[in-house]
Amino acid sequence: MPKNSKAVKRELDDDVTESVKDLLSNEDACDDSFKKSSLIVNNHEGEGKECDVEEGGSDAEEEERPAWNSKLQYILAQVGFSVGLGNVWRFPYLCQKNGGGAYLVPYLILLVLIGIPLFFLELAVGQRIRRGSIGVWNYISPRLGGIGFASCVVCFFVALYYNVIISWSLFYFSQSFQQPLPWHECPLIKNKTSTYVVPECEKSSATTYYWYRQALDISSSISEGGGLNWKMTVCLLVAWSIVCLAMIKGIQSSGKVMYFSSLFPYVVLMCFLVRALLLKGSLDGIRHMFTPKLEMMLEAKVWREAATQVFFALGLGFGGVIAFSSYNKRDNNCHFDAVLVSFINFFTSVLATLVVFAVLGFKANIMNSKCVALNTKRIELLLGNGIDAHLIPKHINFTQVSQVSVEDYHKMIEVIKGVKEGDFSQLGLDACSIEDELNKAVQGTGLAFIAFTEAMTHFPASPFWSVMFFLMLINLGLGSMFGTIEGILTPLIDTFKVRKEFLTVGCCLLAFSIGLLFVQRSGNYFVAMFDDYSATLPLLIVVVLENVAVAWVYGIDKFFEDLKDMLGFTPYRFYYYMWKYITPILLLVLLCASFIQLTMTPPSYSAWIQEEAKELTLHFPVWGIVVCISLVVMAIMPVPVVFGLRYFNIIDDSTNGLSTVSYKKGRIIKETARPGEDDDTSLIQGKSPSEAPSPMPGNSIYRKQGSSGGPDVDTAPNGRYGIGYLMADMPDMPESDL
């Protein structure tokens, strides 16, 4: 306070003096912890009342918006949300499929051009406005308020099937405390006369049989429901119970869980990497992985898949990033956070890729040895009956088939192939190449529950590694689930002012009830349907609209001023051009490419045929195609609906409390009703601004522009987020004190 203000304070009573001191001297107290959001409501005469509003909407009690206990907790939450199952079972597959090490080049380029700018944008708007996705986009442009609702719908769709994957991991985790592991070998059927291997398992493999028959008990098509799988139903209930208990107190409870769920996967990955590198053949897998195929960088498909992976790896458009950042301090350096989390995500993907291909290299080596042994026996049987004995090198001893090395086998094959030429294919001999084994690209559940589990059966102390692996998958999944559920709860709580405990329990119960669809015998096919159609296009549309809303509707220049006000420095000009031109164009190209791909590819799924013991690609029935289209339409429908309601004034912009809220240093400032509008639209329940008594004699310190402003007013330094408010000319009060 300036010294000459003491004369003013003596003329006021003690209460008013204390009120002025609070407004001027202690304003930044809200900045430090964000425990309170204050409302200043002005009437047309410039008088106002400052109220603290509870989350439930009461105007007489304080709102306590939760805050992160530490910066580390916040970073772990963002890392836990962005680093998920896709980093372990999607990125390695794309890397192998799209040129090995060469794939990292387009991925890094698109991470810089799309990933980091959009991640920074979401962090910034969440931190500045301090609301969930509905409140943020409703505030920036009421006509685009449907963006937030669309994000919530997509989050709900994704949460439905994502938790099913966690329940699968829980099931495998519970079955890992056995020696040997239950998927170690095919089960036997015993009858009175003989014992034989289950035909379905004999035709496929032990891990494949266990996944499809023991775990999922899968039906042969999506049309055959087959009833509930009770084992998976129990696991799904456990999964939703864990999520509910972790989220019921918001970030105060989920934030503590993050210390384990975000860090434990890195411990497991490092342990797996060290163990895998000590196994025979692991270096073959890593060498295969990172051998660059530079010619593939010229293919548009590689860039499209890299852009899609960048987009989903960071969790853009879900609302979880915005929700987490809304609990931050206003002056937090969100630019540093965006770069840090993005590169942690990238290096996690690379680390997971190293682990996956080191283990797959070990598995390929074992499978190749089995192939050599099997085909060596076949050659022995063909000697003198299609293959001349003199073609076999003399140092090879067929009496010990298991001792025939891979190199010796390849020498035999080369000689036989050179002599037989056109007749070689009729001999039925395989080349037995490690490269061929490694080229059998698998992703998703095929990698985690079939290929990786098979490799672990050959590990020494395999139950221990199985427990660690599936516990890692559970934690990776839970970290992403927390962010996804936060993307649903935070916007709804901010908008409808409901108790978080009730909403959390209700949301989890509803999701579990709908999720029973995914734990029936045909549930795996519905998981594939939701994964393919419920998120891709809607999220791309959401993020395009987010970018346009900030850069073109709200204004990129104004947004840069907000960032300077928050961060204390002006962000690099690079982001100006990214947000305004480059990123929207790239997103539109990606959106069009994804739309073309979806329309040109008939909706289909991979079905497990029990009789043949193999996967076949089947087309969805008519009702399935309708469901696919409905998922996309329902997810994006809030955007045009809200736009239409606003455009035709069915819902007036001025009547929405969310769209007329301004934020200053953790305080919310209600915009006054415009002349001719009803006062009963106040954010404070049931009280119009005109009914609110002023806490000070005379005019309020904050006055609405155009209401009572005159030539003696200056613009407040922080009123930059679209509303703008004026401060009375008080020469005794320097701007720095405000």
Side-chain angles (χ1 to χ4, degrees):
M1 293 288 289
K3 294 180 179 179
N4 56 8
S5 66
K6 293 180 179 178
V8 177
K9 288 194 287 184
R10 294 191 188 98
E11 296 174 7
L12 303 175
D13 58 37
D14 293 338
D15 292 338
V16 175
T17 302
E18 207 59 29
S19 177
V20 173
K21 187 183 295 183
D22 288 343
L23 283 170
L24 301 180
S25 301
N26 299 332
E27 181 179 355
D28 286 342
C30 290
D31 234 7
D32 297 331
S33 62
F34 296 124
K35 295 297 183 185
K36 186 184 296 182
S37 293
S38 301
L39 295 175
I40 299 177
V41 183
N42 296 308
N43 62 12
H44 295 296
E45 284 73 32
E47 297 177 352
K49 176 183 178 182
E50 181 175 4
C51 311
D52 294 328
V53 180
E54 194 182 30
E55 285 189 15
S58 170
D59 62 329
E61 301 179 11
E62 292 185 354
E63 173 190 19
E64 290 208 359
R65 186 168 184 82
W68 297 105
N69 291 334
S70 66
K71 180 66 175 283
L72 175 62
Q73 191 180 84
Y74 164 68
I75 293 296
L76 289 177
Q78 291 286 16
V79 169
F81 175 52
S82 65
V83 175
L85 297 171
N87 296 75
V88 174
W89 67 32
R90 176 73 178 163
F91 186 89
Y93 163 76
L94 291 175
C95 204
Q96 176 195 15
K97 175 185 173 187
N98 295 316
Y103 174 74
L104 299 179
V105 176
Y107 186 88
L108 270 174
I109 292 173
L110 291 168
L111 180 66
V112 173
L113 296 182
I114 294 179
I116 294 177
L118 290 175
F119 196 63
F120 180 25
L121 184 146
E122 289 200 356
L123 288 178
V125 296
Q127 181 175 308
R128 177 69 185 190
I129 303 180
R130 304 194 67 235
R131 281 295 181 268
S133 56
I134 295 176
V136 162
W137 303 113
N138 201 23
Y139 171 76
I140 286 180
S141 174
R143 290 184 179 179
L144 294 177
I147 296 175
F149 287 99
S151 291
C152 285
V153 173
V154 173
C155 277
F156 188 71
F157 283 161
V158 171
L160 287 177
Y161 74 84
Y162 204 85
N163 223 22
V164 175
I165 300 173
I166 296 176
S167 70
W168 294 341
S169 301
L170 281 169
F171 174 76
Y172 268 79
F173 173 73
S174 67
Q175 299 299 307
S176 296
F177 296 91
Q178 305 178 44
Q179 176 67 26
L181 292 168
W183 50 84
H184 176 71
E185 57 186 6
C186 288
L188 300 175
I189 297 178
K190 296 181 180 180
N191 56 27
K192 295 180 180 179
T193 58
S194 63
T195 301
Y196 58 95
V197 177
V198 175
E200 184 180 3
C201 185
E202 190 174 23
K203 293 177 183 177
S204 53
S205 68
T207 51
T208 304
Y209 172 80
Y210 191 87
W211 166 241
Y212 284 117
R213 190 54 51 213
Q214 298 292 334
L216 299 181
D217 192 19
I218 200 166
S219 61
S220 296
S221 75
I222 195 172
S223 301
E224 301 174 23
L228 290 178
N229 180 339
W230 70 267
K231 293 179 289 188
M232 289 304 169
T233 303
V234 172
C235 291
L236 183 64
L237 179 61
V238 172
W240 275 114
S241 299
I242 294 172
V243 172
C244 184
L245 291 174
M247 298 298 299
I248 199 163
K249 293 293 184 183
I251 63 170
Q252 302 303 327
S253 54
S254 65
K256 294 179 176 62
V257 179
M258 291 294 179
Y259 286 110
F260 180 76
S261 64
S262 296
L263 293 176
F264 180 74
Y266 290 96
V267 176
V268 177
L269 284 174
M270 291 304 300
C271 291
F272 261 99
L273 180 61
V274 172
R275 185 68 190 90
L277 289 175
L278 298 175
L279 297 172
K280 183 181 179 182
S282 60
L283 294 179
D284 293 329
I286 294 175
R287 191 182 304 112
H288 173 82
M289 177 68 258
F290 289 104
T291 301
K293 302 168 186 172
L294 298 177
E295 66 278 2
M296 296 194 71
M297 288 179 59
L298 302 177
E299 297 182 15
K301 178 184 173 185
V302 173
W303 290 81
R304 179 182 62 79
E305 292 192 343
T308 305
Q309 179 63 17
V310 166
F311 183 84
F312 287 106
L314 293 175
L316 300 173
F318 283 94
V321 173
I322 294 175
F324 280 150
S325 66
S326 72
Y327 299 115
N328 252 336
K329 293 173 63 175
R330 180 180 173 276
D331 59 351
N332 174 62
N333 189 345
C334 53
H335 175 255
F336 172 80
D337 298 342
V339 176
L340 177 65
V341 173
S342 298
F343 279 101
I344 287 176
N345 188 294
F346 171 70
F347 288 119
T348 304
S349 298
V350 174
L351 174 62
T353 301
L354 281 172
V355 171
V356 166
F357 276 90
V359 172
L360 291 183
F362 165 68
K363 173 178 172 283
N365 195 276
I366 291 176
M367 300 305 293
N368 196 53
S369 298
K370 289 182 178 179
C371 176
V372 168
L374 180 65
N375 283 273
T376 301
K377 288 183 178 179
R378 192 172 295 166
I379 291 174
E380 185 180 12
L381 294 174
L382 290 172
L383 287 177
N385 188 24
I387 298 178
D388 295 331
H390 72 274
L391 296 177
I392 308 301
K394 295 182 179 180
H395 69 278
I396 295 178
N397 184 7
F398 279 104
T399 59
Q400 294 181 327
V401 173
S402 60
Q403 300 300 318
V404 177
S405 66
V406 175
E407 292 75 13
D408 288 340
Y409 174 76
H410 287 156
K411 289 179 182 177
M412 285 193 296
I413 290 295
E414 287 177 6
V415 173
I416 294 170
K417 188 181 293 186
V419 173
K420 292 295 182 179
E421 295 181 351
D423 298 330
F424 179 78
S425 59
Q426 299 175 4
L427 299 176
L429 298 175
D430 294 325
C432 294
S433 167
I434 289 182
E435 291 296 317
D436 292 341
E437 285 291 334
L438 289 170
N439 282 329
K440 295 176 181 177
V442 287
Q443 64 167 323
T445 55
L447 174 63
F449 299 108
I450 298 177
F452 220 85
T453 52
E454 183 175 351
M456 286 188 296
T457 59
H458 301 289
F459 278 26
S462 55
F464 169 78
W465 293 105
S466 182
V467 167
M468 294 285 282
F469 176 71
F470 289 110
L471 189 57
M472 178 191 72
L473 291 187
I474 292 167
N475 280 278
L476 284 172
L478 286 176
S480 297
M481 272 298 295
F482 294 155
T484 304
I485 297 297
E486 198 68 55
I488 301 171
L489 299 180
T490 298
L492 294 180
I493 290 168
D494 290 342
T495 305
F496 301 108
K497 304 297 180 184
V498 295
R499 285 285 298 273
K500 190 173 189 80
E501 293 86 351
F502 296 155
L503 183 62
T504 303
V505 173
C507 179
C508 291
L509 282 175
L510 176 62
F512 170 72
S513 302
I514 299 175
L516 294 176
L517 172 72
F518 303 102
V519 290
Q520 55 181 338
R521 291 185 61 199
S522 60
N524 188 44
Y525 307 137
F526 286 98
V527 170
M529 175 192 288
F530 272 65
D531 190 36
D532 290 338
Y533 294 96
S534 69
T536 307
L537 276 182
L539 279 180
L540 283 170
I541 295 172
V542 163
V543 176
V544 168
L545 292 175
E546 286 181 359
N547 197 164
V548 171
V550 171
W552 293 93
V553 178
Y554 180 73
I556 190 68
D557 295 311
K558 195 191 299 184
F559 187 56
F560 254 66
E561 289 183 18
D562 292 329
L563 290 173
K564 182 179 179 181
D565 184 50
M566 275 200 310
L567 304 176
F569 62 89
T570 302
Y572 299 115
R573 202 67 180 169
F574 163 82
Y575 292 106
Y576 182 95
Y577 297 107
M578 287 296 107
W579 286 329
K580 194 167 185 178
Y581 304 111
I582 306 300
T583 305
I585 292 173
L586 291 176
L587 285 174
L588 287 173
V589 171
L590 179 59
L591 177 62
C592 293
S594 299
F595 181 77
I596 292 171
Q597 184 208 14
L598 281 178
T599 53
M600 294 185 66
T601 306
S604 59
Y605 63 99
S606 294
W608 178 257
I609 309 301
Q610 182 175 3
E611 294 75 17
E612 301 178 28
K614 66 179 182 180
E615 286 185 338
L616 289 179
T617 300
L618 302 179
H619 294 295
F620 283 112
V622 175
W623 63 264
I625 296 175
V626 171
V627 173
C628 293
I629 296 172
S630 300
L631 289 173
V632 177
V633 172
M634 282 191 293
I636 207 62
M637 184 58 69
V639 175
V641 167
V642 172
F643 183 86
L645 293 175
R646 297 286 192 190
Y647 183 80
F648 295 105
N649 292 324
I650 299 174
I651 296 179
D652 195 348
D653 293 355
S654 63
T655 64
N656 189 299
L658 287 170
S659 65
T660 56
V661 175
S662 179
Y663 298 79
K664 178 178 184 292
K665 292 191 176 182
R667 297 173 182 266
I668 311 170
I669 298 172
K670 175 68 171 66
E671 192 175 324
T672 62
R674 299 185 183 91
E677 292 176 348
D678 294 334
D679 282 344
D680 60 1
T681 60
S682 173
L683 185 63
I684 298 179
Q685 292 183 348
K687 287 193 177 185
S688 65
S690 58
E691 294 173 348
S694 171
M696 295 178 58
N699 291 341
S700 169
I701 288 178
Y702 297 104
R703 295 190 299 197
K704 179 72 182 75
Q705 188 170 2
S707 297
S708 57
D712 57 341
V713 293
D714 293 325
T715 304
N718 293 318
R720 306 195 194 282
Y721 225 79
I723 298 301
Y725 46 85
L726 297 180
M727 185 166 57
D729 185 15
M730 301 178 69
D732 293 337
M733 202 171 297
E735 185 175 285
S736 60
D737 283 343
L738 292 171

